[in-house]
Amino acid sequence: LAIDLVGVPLTDANLAAAIEARKRAAEFWLSWQLDLDAHGHRPGAPVNSQYVFDSPKKQAMYSALLAILTGSYGDDGIKLAAADSGPLDEGYVGGGS
């Protein structure tokens, strides 16, 4: 989770608020990841419908993270953005695939 603190005065209170925000975001994400009923594949639903839902979100996360992480870590930011956003789906190659 990237928290942009540019322009925020570096005080103990602001640092504590940023740490708490990051902690709460991580707890939210982890609880969602562990709750398979909330986001797992729905029995009977076509697997493709899950990709239709997930793919645009992964692409948006990758794009946002790429700019931030390459700015901070150079070329290593490309790998970090891919690892953090998850694997992107292959492009559509036709109905016979």
Side-chain angles (χ1 to χ4, degrees), residues 3-19:
I3 299 175
D4 187 1
L5 298 175
V6 174
V8 176
L10 186 56
T11 65
D12 289 342
N14 289 343
L15 183 57
I19 290 169

Side-chain angles (χ1 to χ4, degrees), residues 5-96:
L5 298 175
V6 174
V8 176
L10 186 56
T11 65
D12 289 342
N14 289 343
L15 183 57
I19 290 169
E20 182 62 23
R22 190 177 180 111
K23 178 183 170 190
R24 290 186 68 202
E27 288 170 351
F28 177 77
W29 183 83
L30 286 171
S31 68
W32 179 81
Q33 282 291 320
L34 295 173
D35 185 1
L36 297 179
D37 292 334
H39 65 85
H41 177 68
R42 298 174 314 278
V47 173
N48 189 44
S49 66
Q50 193 73 40
Y51 292 128
V52 168
F53 179 80
D54 288 351
S55 294
K57 283 148 187 81
K58 287 181 180 181
Q59 290 169 351
M61 287 186 283
Y62 178 80
S63 296
L65 289 168
L66 185 63
I68 294 167
L69 295 175
T70 54
S72 297
Y73 302 104
D75 287 343
D76 287 338
I78 297 169
K79 294 176 189 173
L80 292 169
D84 202 17
S85 62
L88 298 176
D89 298 323
E90 295 180 24
Y92 179 69
V93 294

